[in-house]
């Protein structure tokens, strides 16, 4: 659904730029094409600038970045935005293919001693958000599954049962008794809502990446019921806060996140947090530093103890 919508909107946007350049300014076809490309890039740069301005207005105290570090951070977030919404998300099937699942007891390699990992994407995204990180996890020997949460702008509770069915399917396919859930942004809230409704019997642990555990000011200008539920102080978040997560949980976030603000809202009370400085919200999905932190968390949460005498 998201891939089709993004392809259609991109085609219409480019057609609009081409028409304006050709008929309003009498540009040549080559000039019109360059103008359309510039329009696509500039619109997203403008949107990102507004988001960063909003984030700055409501930022939490954090370590100060040098001008060079700030420029690298913003450039990385801009690159992640372009890569995700212009190349990967609209052509999800080309990039993602099928999930990489292996039987939990298959062979003596690392995947045979580890629980499967189920990746849960965030607001306005799809399973394609995990393209880069999934490759890193698979290369490290993990069996990895993903899910598409649709419709995109419904309530977060509406995603819980589809996630439950996906958990059951992953366990049936791998023969494992539990999974490790990893949620980016809103995906971490979906995972917590699943645990609240279904308990921990099928989940060994939870890792959240840039999740607005206490809401985000940016959600006030978001679309859909799920955006309203992520506003600070929203009744849905208050309901989710009690009881606390019932499984081992690792919270990884950026103290310079540009989508969750104030950034202190990324922390989950009572749960240790790991802050990674100088990285944007979308760039977390393409960051070697985040991948390293995630792999370390998974080793703690999802590596099965070997039986006595095992190699």
């Amino acid at each position: 659904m998201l891939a089709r919508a993004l392809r259609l909107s991109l085609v219409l946007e480019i057609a609009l730029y081409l028409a304006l350049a050709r008929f309003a300014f009498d540009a040549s076809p080559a000039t019109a094409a360059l103008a359309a490309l510039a329009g696509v890039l500039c619109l997203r740069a403008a949107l990102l600038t507004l988001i960063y301005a909003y984030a700055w207005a409501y930022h939490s105290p954090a370590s100060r970045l040098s001008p060079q570090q700030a420029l690298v951070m913003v450039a990385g977030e801009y690159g992640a935005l372009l890569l995700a919404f212009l190349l990967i998300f609209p052509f999800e099937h080309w990039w993602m293919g099928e999930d990489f699942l292996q039987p939990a007891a298959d062979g003596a390699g690392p995947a045979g001693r580890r629980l499967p990992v189920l990746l849960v994407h965030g607001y306005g995204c799809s399973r394609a958000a995990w393209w880069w990180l999934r490759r890193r996890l698979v290369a490290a020997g993990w069996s990895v599954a993903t899910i598409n949460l649709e419709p995109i702008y419904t309530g977060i509770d509406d995603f819980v049962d589809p996630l439950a069915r996906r958990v059951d399917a992953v366990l049936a396919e791998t023969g494992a008794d539990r999974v490790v859930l990893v949620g980016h942004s809103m995906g971490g809230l979906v995972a917590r809502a699943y645990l609240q409704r279904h308990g921990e019997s099928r989940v060994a642990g939870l890792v959240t990446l840039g999740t607005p555990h206490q809401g985000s000011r940016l959600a006030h200008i978001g679309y859909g019921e799920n955006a309203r539920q992520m506003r600070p102080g929203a009744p849905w978040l208050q309901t989710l806060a009690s009881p606390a997560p019932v499984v081992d949980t690792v919270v990884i976030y950026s103290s310079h996140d540009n989508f969750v603000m104030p950034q202190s809202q990324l922390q989950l009370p009572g749960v240790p947090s790991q802050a990674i400085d100088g990285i944007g919200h979308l760039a977390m999905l393409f960051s070697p530093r985040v991948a390293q932190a995630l792999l370390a968390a998974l080793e703690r949460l999802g590596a099965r103890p070997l039986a006595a005498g095992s190699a």
Side-chain angles (χ1 to χ4, degrees):
M1 179 186 297
L2 178 65
R4 290 195 300 271
L6 287 175
R7 290 196 301 269
L8 177 60
S9 63
L10 185 58
V11 167
L12 293 176
E13 181 184 355
I14 292 174
L16 176 61
Y17 294 143
L18 288 173
L20 286 173
R22 289 284 287 155
F23 301 112
F25 299 99
D26 196 26
S28 67
T31 301
L34 289 175
L37 176 61
V40 168
L41 297 179
C42 289
L43 176 62
R44 283 144 187 85
L47 290 174
L48 188 63
T49 300
L50 289 174
I51 290 172
Y52 264 111
Y54 201 68
W56 177 253
Y58 295 102
H59 74 284
S60 297
S63 58
R64 183 180 297 274
L65 300 177
S66 69
Q68 181 180 1
Q69 289 172 322
L71 181 62
V72 169
M73 178 183 67
V74 174
E77 183 72 356
Y78 181 57
L81 175 66
L82 297 180
L83 181 61
F85 285 93
L86 295 184
L87 295 178
I88 299 178
F89 291 1
F91 308 100
E92 171 195 317
H93 184 71
W94 295 358
W95 293 88
M96 294 297 290
E98 299 298 325
D99 285 330
F100 302 98
L101 294 175
Q102 303 176 38
D106 184 26
R113 301 194 298 266
R114 292 169 170 171
L115 298 172
V117 176
L118 177 51
L119 307 175
V120 188
H121 66 78
Y123 175 84
C125 297
S126 71
R127 63 188 286 264
W130 298 108
W131 170 74
W132 190 86
L133 276 174
R134 185 181 69 166
R135 291 167 61 90
R136 294 296 294 263
L137 298 184
V138 171
W142 291 91
S143 185
V144 184
T146 57
I147 182 175
N148 270 334
L149 301 176
E150 296 178 342
I152 300 170
Y153 299 116
T154 188
I156 296 175
D157 287 326
D158 294 333
F159 299 136
V160 172
D161 285 344
L163 178 58
R165 291 192 292 270
R166 187 62 178 139
V167 168
D168 293 344
V170 170
L171 296 182
E173 186 170 346
T174 62
D177 56 353
R178 292 175 299 165
V179 302
V180 179
L181 295 175
V182 178
H184 174 251
S185 194
M186 183 193 73
L189 300 179
V190 177
R192 286 177 57 199
Y194 166 90
L195 290 167
Q196 191 175 67
R197 184 181 303 179
H198 294 279
E200 75 279 13
S201 63
R202 292 176 173 263
V203 178
L206 168 64
V207 184
T208 67
L209 307 175
T211 291
H213 289 293
Q214 301 178 68
S216 172
R217 296 280 307 195
L218 192 64
H220 284 283
I221 60 174
Y223 176 79
E225 183 180 355
N226 44 1
R228 292 190 292 273
Q229 291 172 329
M230 290 188 288
R231 295 172 180 174
W236 188 88
L237 283 175
Q238 294 176 8
T239 300
L240 183 67
S242 181
V246 291
V247 299
D248 286 340
T249 301
V250 176
V251 172
I252 300 171
Y253 72 97
S254 169
S255 51
H256 299 95
D257 194 296
N258 55 308
F259 276 71
V260 181
M261 58 197 78
Q263 288 76 20
S264 59
Q265 305 286 72
L266 290 151
Q267 300 178 42
L268 183 56
V271 175
S273 301
Q274 178 179 352
I276 300 177
D277 289 342
I279 189 168
H281 188 77
L282 292 173
M284 294 187 78
L285 297 167
F286 305 94
S287 166
R289 288 186 292 156
V290 171
Q292 183 179 8
L294 174 57
L295 287 168
L298 290 176
E299 286 293 344
R300 182 168 72 82
L301 297 175
R304 286 179 169 174
L306 295 176
S310 296

